[in-house]
Amino acid sequence: MIMIPIKSISVNECWQGRRFATPKYKDFTKDMLRVMPNREVIKGNVHLKITLYLKSVLRGDIDNFVKPIVDCIVKKGWIEDDRFIQKMEVEKIKSDLDSIEIELKNLKTNN
């Protein structure tokens, strides 16, 4: 389990049109990659658990937070590709501090 002390952003805040990443998304990605520790890549099918600690649990649709985090997990090399995520749990918890908790497990399943 890895705790990331960064405020999550919604996928709606990531793109200008269909092609251009917003400055906010670029900053989020840079900050995430800086604080995410290096770890061995998990190969094959993955179970991903994301816990979003938010000052307001009513802020944003839960599914909109997932894609920017998953993109960072792939860019950091924690998993080979997000197509290998076969199981996902996402939870929002009210907290005084915004942060993200990520847990990855290898799944022993058939493709």
Side-chain angles (χ1 to χ4, degrees):
M1 186 173 355
I2 308 288
M3 181 66 77
I4 313 264
I6 292 179
K7 182 178 180 178
S8 58
I9 65 170
S10 165
V11 72
N12 297 330
E13 299 173 285
C14 294
W15 304 103
Q16 298 171 350
R18 293 182 167 237
R19 294 187 177 178
F20 303 103
T22 63
K24 189 171 188 173
Y25 180 47
K26 289 177 185 178
D27 289 344
F28 173 79
T29 301
K30 182 179 77 174
D31 291 343
M32 283 286 288
L33 295 176
R34 181 178 44 80
V35 299
M36 292 170 74
N38 292 325
R39 59 175 289 169
E40 190 173 319
V41 64
I42 297 177
K43 297 196 181 269
N45 294 332
V46 174
H47 172 195
L48 170 61
K49 181 177 179 189
I50 298 171
T51 306
L52 303 163
Y53 294 93
L54 304 168
K55 291 179 183 173
S56 171
V57 293
L58 299 177
R59 181 176 77 86
D61 297 344
I62 196 166
D63 56 321
N64 287 339
F65 292 107
V66 173
K67 183 65 174 160
I69 296 168
V70 169
D71 288 346
C72 290
I73 290 169
V74 173
K75 284 181 184 178
K76 190 66 175 185
W78 287 6
I79 62 175
E80 296 175 282
D81 193 286
D82 53 352
R83 70 177 180 222
F84 292 110
I85 298 172
Q86 300 296 310
K87 181 177 180 182
M88 184 182 306
E89 297 175 61
V90 184
E91 180 178 12
K92 295 194 299 187
I93 296 177
K94 185 164 178 53
S95 175
D96 291 335
L97 297 173
D98 290 313
S99 58
I100 304 162
E101 186 176 79
I102 301 169
E103 187 174 346
L104 290 166
K105 295 179 187 174
N106 189 264
L107 279 177
K108 307 294 185 202
T109 61
N110 298 329
N111 290 336

